[in-house]
Amino acid sequence: MKKILLSIIAVFGLFSVTSCGDMLETDNDSMVTDPSLGSKTDSVFYALGIAQAMQQLADQYFYVGEMRGELVSPTSATNTNLRQLADYSANTSNRYDSAYVYYKVINNCNYYLAHRDTTLYTGSQNVTINEYAAVAAWRAWAYLQLARTYGGNEQKIPFYTQPLTALTQINEDNCDKKTLVEIVEELAPQLEKFSGLEVPNFGGTSFGIGTTNWGNSKSINPARIFVPVDVVLGEMYLEAGQWLKAAQHYCKYLCDNHLTTEKIMSFPQYSMNSSTMSDLFPDDFHFQYNTILDNYGSVFASLPSPIDVVTYIPMAVSSMRGTITSIPLAFGYDYYSTDRSTICPRVDAIQIAPSKAFHELVDSSIYYYYPRDPQSPNAAYPSDVKYAKLGDGRASRYKGRSDVAILNMDINDTTKVYISKNNTANVYLFRESTIYLHLAEALNRLGYPELAFAILRNGISTYLEDLVPGANQDPANPNPAPEPYKYMTQAAIELLKTQVPFLDATNRNIFVPESTYGIHNHGAGTENAVENENLMTVQGSQATAVGSKNNLHYLPEPIISAKLAELSEIFPDITFGGTKADTINAMEDILCDEYAKEFAFEGKRFYDLQRMARHKNESGLYGGNFGSRWFANKLKGNNPAVDLTVPKNWYLPFK
């Protein structure tokens, strides 16, 4: 068995170099002729054929998601295909308008699901069910992406669950077609029976897939190529507006895998001048009350299992080893260079740059920090949290060649910005942060904006129980001190103990304050010094400047009020009041800003924007076209060639 696995992994390392035709072809001849899908043999080879088809859609998935958002801009070197995506002028001749790359995955999945025998056991263990579920999840993800790209609920797309054998089958006028919601209605019940199953790992967590021409060895974790079933279900229900079901499946995945929010923090390097730094922070700043954890960039390291990453599409290290990608090159990194180097070689012709809208958002962001008290150098906990407009650490800048930050500038020409998230030739589909932030979106729409805010400030843990006003109040004290940092509601806590059970008897020992962090900490705050750990009275997000009870600046009331004021300036004809619906809409916009800071340059932006815009329209708040106006305002900097207040213009023409 070990010998079989090793030979299969070798194929996986190459991702198969067999020729591929149109989307109706399976990726290997044996997928059609080999009967082993119905026998008790390892069918990993078939799953890897689908993985190859996933590689072939990676560039399109990424470019559509990134260029049709507002966070990047074309440069003078940008090719026509990318430029057309950005200004919404792309037609069916565009290289990245191809529904067939998704149908190729779907057809391969349909073949597998139609022919794989799921009744095979070794002893009491079903030897195929996890792999079968993973393939069903791939198919659901591909259909979800088709709907996100080609019409949402504005347009129906061809829908098949049986393998096709002829191109004419997809061109017939009487073929079945479904909208996004109808796709969810069809596929979600089938996936539900696989909820809780783990993805296959092919017997290991790290396998080498070769070395780049410039000398960098690449390894992958095979389990990371799959999309977990509960994550796909969460995504489907989120898109379809089934908020509770979305939250429940995100919760199940996070609970089953014991995934608390990661400790990932970053300092906004070079976003402030030296005089500002010295005014705010004393010389020994690093060694007293503040720890700068610049580890956000490690999320995108060339590792088989990078911190926070759930699913990626790993592209080949060379054309001789499989399917390659143009994404690193578009951001200035020549991943397929033949020049020997210790780090990924660069090129001058950068095609994708951070946009003005991105810079305005991150540069105006507030950074929260602990001031050092020179009179009390050994104090256990700072008595205050201060803030300044220093920028967000997830957009940290670095001048030089080491690529240590997200935005790396040419030291001789700072107009050239190399974005390092994509210099490993991995396309990231889901991170733990994606799941938590999408969970926040679902909880907010469900009517719990306080829980959405908690995911940003403190993370979900038993600490939230202490944040209900009056919690832990001494009954013998009739006049307790005010606790303005307590923003949670008892109704939200009950939800977390029952329907979305992070804090029920089974899971509450997982989600403890000491190991839980708010996602806004990733780029907006410092932490108590590790050197004073023995003196600290709290750990986890409470020990960060964002989540501290002494931070009275980053709380729902002031942050939501500021967002409502901002929306009033953008849409002066609309009255944004103080109702629960107003709060939910504002909180959704706050999450949208967090998405921009957390997921910029990862190929996700358009998909998030179209979903939020649809839901704003569907809510009917501020009129049925508010989401369309909101979407158009977000994209105004792209100088779109079409009217984006018309939803059908958001999507690519189906080809």
mmCIF file of all heavy atoms in Angstrom, residues 630-650:
data_model
loop_
_atom_site.group_PDB
_atom_site.id
_atom_site.type_symbol
_atom_site.label_atom_id
_atom_site.label_comp_id
_atom_site.label_asym_id
_atom_site.label_seq_id
_atom_site.Cartn_x
_atom_site.Cartn_y
_atom_site.Cartn_z
ATOM 1 N N TRP A 630 -24.650 50.902 -3.952
ATOM 2 C CA TRP A 630 -23.494 50.647 -3.095
ATOM 3 C C TRP A 630 -22.376 49.986 -3.896
ATOM 4 O O TRP A 630 -21.208 50.380 -3.807
ATOM 5 C CB TRP A 630 -23.943 49.759 -1.940
ATOM 6 C CG TRP A 630 -22.894 49.347 -0.967
ATOM 7 C CD1 TRP A 630 -22.471 50.025 0.138
ATOM 8 C CD2 TRP A 630 -22.155 48.109 -0.977
ATOM 9 N NE1 TRP A 630 -21.516 49.295 0.823
ATOM 10 C CE2 TRP A 630 -21.301 48.115 0.149
ATOM 11 C CE3 TRP A 630 -22.138 47.003 -1.821
ATOM 12 C CZ2 TRP A 630 -20.445 47.063 0.445
ATOM 13 C CZ3 TRP A 630 -21.272 45.956 -1.537
ATOM 14 C CH2 TRP A 630 -20.437 45.992 -0.410
ATOM 15 N N PHE A 631 -22.731 48.979 -4.701
ATOM 16 C CA PHE A 631 -21.745 48.274 -5.525
ATOM 17 C C PHE A 631 -21.103 49.229 -6.522
ATOM 18 O O PHE A 631 -19.879 49.256 -6.685
ATOM 19 C CB PHE A 631 -22.428 47.117 -6.250
ATOM 20 C CG PHE A 631 -21.496 46.239 -7.048
ATOM 21 C CD1 PHE A 631 -20.877 45.159 -6.460
ATOM 22 C CD2 PHE A 631 -21.263 46.497 -8.393
ATOM 23 C CE1 PHE A 631 -20.023 44.335 -7.194
ATOM 24 C CE2 PHE A 631 -20.414 45.691 -9.135
ATOM 25 C CZ PHE A 631 -19.792 44.604 -8.531
ATOM 26 N N ALA A 632 -21.932 50.024 -7.185
ATOM 27 C CA ALA A 632 -21.419 50.965 -8.184
ATOM 28 C C ALA A 632 -20.480 51.985 -7.543
ATOM 29 O O ALA A 632 -19.456 52.368 -8.136
ATOM 30 C CB ALA A 632 -22.579 51.674 -8.879
ATOM 31 N N ASN A 633 -20.810 52.421 -6.340
ATOM 32 C CA ASN A 633 -19.936 53.380 -5.650
ATOM 33 C C ASN A 633 -18.591 52.750 -5.301
ATOM 34 O O ASN A 633 -17.546 53.397 -5.421
ATOM 35 C CB ASN A 633 -20.614 53.884 -4.375
ATOM 36 C CG ASN A 633 -19.759 54.889 -3.630
ATOM 37 O OD1 ASN A 633 -19.586 56.028 -4.053
ATOM 38 N ND2 ASN A 633 -19.211 54.466 -2.495
ATOM 39 N N LYS A 634 -18.601 51.484 -4.885
ATOM 40 C CA LYS A 634 -17.354 50.795 -4.580
ATOM 41 C C LYS A 634 -16.442 50.728 -5.796
ATOM 42 O O LYS A 634 -15.222 50.843 -5.685
ATOM 43 C CB LYS A 634 -17.654 49.367 -4.089
ATOM 44 C CG LYS A 634 -18.201 49.266 -2.696
ATOM 45 C CD LYS A 634 -17.136 49.491 -1.647
ATOM 46 C CE LYS A 634 -17.665 49.240 -0.246
ATOM 47 N NZ LYS A 634 -16.661 49.576 0.794
ATOM 48 N N LEU A 635 -17.047 50.525 -6.969
ATOM 49 C CA LEU A 635 -16.259 50.286 -8.184
ATOM 50 C C LEU A 635 -16.042 51.533 -9.026
ATOM 51 O O LEU A 635 -15.522 51.436 -10.142
ATOM 52 C CB LEU A 635 -16.935 49.204 -9.033
ATOM 53 C CG LEU A 635 -16.628 47.738 -8.701
ATOM 54 C CD1 LEU A 635 -15.154 47.442 -8.892
ATOM 55 C CD2 LEU A 635 -17.076 47.332 -7.323
ATOM 56 N N LYS A 636 -16.411 52.698 -8.528
ATOM 57 C CA LYS A 636 -16.311 53.907 -9.356
ATOM 58 C C LYS A 636 -14.880 54.194 -9.778
ATOM 59 O O LYS A 636 -14.637 54.731 -10.868
ATOM 60 C CB LYS A 636 -16.907 55.103 -8.612
ATOM 61 C CG LYS A 636 -16.176 55.485 -7.327
ATOM 62 C CD LYS A 636 -16.871 56.625 -6.605
ATOM 63 C CE LYS A 636 -16.130 56.990 -5.313
ATOM 64 N NZ LYS A 636 -16.822 58.067 -4.564
ATOM 65 N N GLY A 637 -13.907 53.844 -8.945
ATOM 66 C CA GLY A 637 -12.517 54.086 -9.290
ATOM 67 C C GLY A 637 -12.012 53.232 -10.424
ATOM 68 O O GLY A 637 -10.954 53.513 -10.989
ATOM 69 N N ASN A 638 -12.751 52.178 -10.784
ATOM 70 C CA ASN A 638 -12.371 51.329 -11.915
ATOM 71 C C ASN A 638 -12.777 51.923 -13.256
ATOM 72 O O ASN A 638 -12.467 51.363 -14.302
ATOM 73 C CB ASN A 638 -13.012 49.948 -11.775
ATOM 74 C CG ASN A 638 -12.479 49.156 -10.603
ATOM 75 O OD1 ASN A 638 -12.261 49.697 -9.528
ATOM 76 N ND2 ASN A 638 -12.279 47.865 -10.787
ATOM 77 N N ASN A 639 -13.509 53.050 -13.221
ATOM 78 C CA ASN A 639 -14.031 53.663 -14.447
ATOM 79 C C ASN A 639 -14.762 52.642 -15.314
ATOM 80 O O ASN A 639 -14.400 52.398 -16.473
ATOM 81 C CB ASN A 639 -12.899 54.320 -15.248
ATOM 82 C CG ASN A 639 -12.240 55.449 -14.481
ATOM 83 O OD1 ASN A 639 -12.912 56.287 -13.886
ATOM 84 N ND2 ASN A 639 -10.917 55.464 -14.476
ATOM 85 N N PRO A 640 -15.786 52.019 -14.755
ATOM 86 C CA PRO A 640 -16.464 50.928 -15.474
ATOM 87 C C PRO A 640 -17.093 51.386 -16.776
ATOM 88 O O PRO A 640 -17.593 52.508 -16.890
ATOM 89 C CB PRO A 640 -17.523 50.459 -14.479
ATOM 90 C CG PRO A 640 -17.738 51.620 -13.551
ATOM 91 C CD PRO A 640 -16.418 52.306 -13.451
ATOM 92 N N ALA A 641 -17.076 50.486 -17.758
ATOM 93 C CA ALA A 641 -17.623 50.785 -19.081
ATOM 94 C C ALA A 641 -19.127 50.577 -19.141
ATOM 95 O O ALA A 641 -19.748 50.903 -20.158
ATOM 96 C CB ALA A 641 -16.939 49.897 -20.123
ATOM 97 N N VAL A 642 -19.705 50.023 -18.085
ATOM 98 C CA VAL A 642 -21.147 49.761 -18.048
ATOM 99 C C VAL A 642 -21.722 50.345 -16.767
ATOM 100 O O VAL A 642 -20.995 50.727 -15.846
ATOM 101 C CB VAL A 642 -21.440 48.242 -18.113
ATOM 102 C CG1 VAL A 642 -21.033 47.679 -19.460
ATOM 103 C CG2 VAL A 642 -20.737 47.509 -16.975
ATOM 104 N N ASP A 643 -23.038 50.424 -16.723
ATOM 105 C CA ASP A 643 -23.738 50.959 -15.560
ATOM 106 C C ASP A 643 -23.836 49.873 -14.485
ATOM 107 O O ASP A 643 -24.596 48.918 -14.618
ATOM 108 C CB ASP A 643 -25.136 51.425 -15.972
ATOM 109 C CG ASP A 643 -25.920 52.032 -14.812
ATOM 110 O OD1 ASP A 643 -25.369 52.145 -13.697
ATOM 111 O OD2 ASP A 643 -27.096 52.400 -15.035
ATOM 112 N N LEU A 644 -23.072 50.029 -13.404
ATOM 113 C CA LEU A 644 -23.041 49.006 -12.370
ATOM 114 C C LEU A 644 -24.184 49.125 -11.372
ATOM 115 O O LEU A 644 -24.259 48.346 -10.424
ATOM 116 C CB LEU A 644 -21.690 49.030 -11.642
ATOM 117 C CG LEU A 644 -20.484 48.617 -12.494
ATOM 118 C CD1 LEU A 644 -19.208 48.617 -11.672
ATOM 119 C CD2 LEU A 644 -20.707 47.250 -13.137
ATOM 120 N N THR A 645 -25.076 50.085 -11.568
ATOM 121 C CA THR A 645 -26.299 50.075 -10.767
ATOM 122 C C THR A 645 -27.308 49.076 -11.326
ATOM 123 O O THR A 645 -28.367 48.861 -10.736
ATOM 124 C CB THR A 645 -26.950 51.470 -10.707
ATOM 125 O OG1 THR A 645 -27.372 51.862 -12.018
ATOM 126 C CG2 THR A 645 -25.983 52.506 -10.141
ATOM 127 N N VAL A 646 -26.954 48.446 -12.441
ATOM 128 C CA VAL A 646 -27.778 47.380 -13.039
ATOM 129 C C VAL A 646 -27.104 46.051 -12.734
ATOM 130 O O VAL A 646 -26.019 45.760 -13.252
ATOM 131 C CB VAL A 646 -27.914 47.570 -14.559
ATOM 132 C CG1 VAL A 646 -28.744 46.445 -15.170
ATOM 133 C CG2 VAL A 646 -28.514 48.934 -14.878
ATOM 134 N N PRO A 647 -27.690 45.204 -11.871
ATOM 135 C CA PRO A 647 -27.012 43.991 -11.405
ATOM 136 C C PRO A 647 -26.513 43.064 -12.500
ATOM 137 O O PRO A 647 -25.461 42.437 -12.339
ATOM 138 C CB PRO A 647 -28.071 43.310 -10.526
ATOM 139 C CG PRO A 647 -28.882 44.438 -9.989
ATOM 140 C CD PRO A 647 -28.962 45.423 -11.131
ATOM 141 N N LYS A 648 -27.231 42.948 -13.611
ATOM 142 C CA LYS A 648 -26.782 42.013 -14.641
ATOM 143 C C LYS A 648 -25.432 42.430 -15.223
ATOM 144 O O LYS A 648 -24.723 41.596 -15.795
ATOM 145 C CB LYS A 648 -27.830 41.892 -15.751
ATOM 146 C CG LYS A 648 -27.990 43.133 -16.606
ATOM 147 C CD LYS A 648 -29.015 42.893 -17.712
ATOM 148 C CE LYS A 648 -29.155 44.117 -18.623
ATOM 149 N NZ LYS A 648 -30.138 43.883 -19.708
ATOM 150 N N ASN A 649 -25.063 43.699 -15.062
ATOM 151 C CA ASN A 649 -23.778 44.180 -15.575
ATOM 152 C C ASN A 649 -22.610 43.836 -14.661
ATOM 153 O O ASN A 649 -21.455 44.090 -15.010
ATOM 154 C CB ASN A 649 -23.824 45.693 -15.787
ATOM 155 C CG ASN A 649 -24.713 46.096 -16.938
ATOM 156 O OD1 ASN A 649 -24.947 45.308 -17.862
ATOM 157 N ND2 ASN A 649 -25.229 47.317 -16.901
ATOM 158 N N TRP A 650 -22.902 43.285 -13.493
ATOM 159 C CA TRP A 650 -21.813 42.897 -12.599
ATOM 160 C C TRP A 650 -21.076 41.668 -13.106
ATOM 161 O O TRP A 650 -19.908 41.459 -12.772
ATOM 162 C CB TRP A 650 -22.352 42.562 -11.202
ATOM 163 C CG TRP A 650 -23.134 43.642 -10.529
ATOM 164 C CD1 TRP A 650 -23.243 44.955 -10.904
ATOM 165 C CD2 TRP A 650 -23.948 43.499 -9.359
ATOM 166 N NE1 TRP A 650 -24.067 45.631 -10.038
ATOM 167 C CE2 TRP A 650 -24.513 44.768 -9.084
ATOM 168 C CE3 TRP A 650 -24.246 42.431 -8.524
ATOM 169 C CZ2 TRP A 650 -25.366 44.983 -7.995
ATOM 170 C CZ3 TRP A 650 -25.091 42.638 -7.442
ATOM 171 C CH2 TRP A 650 -25.647 43.904 -7.180
#
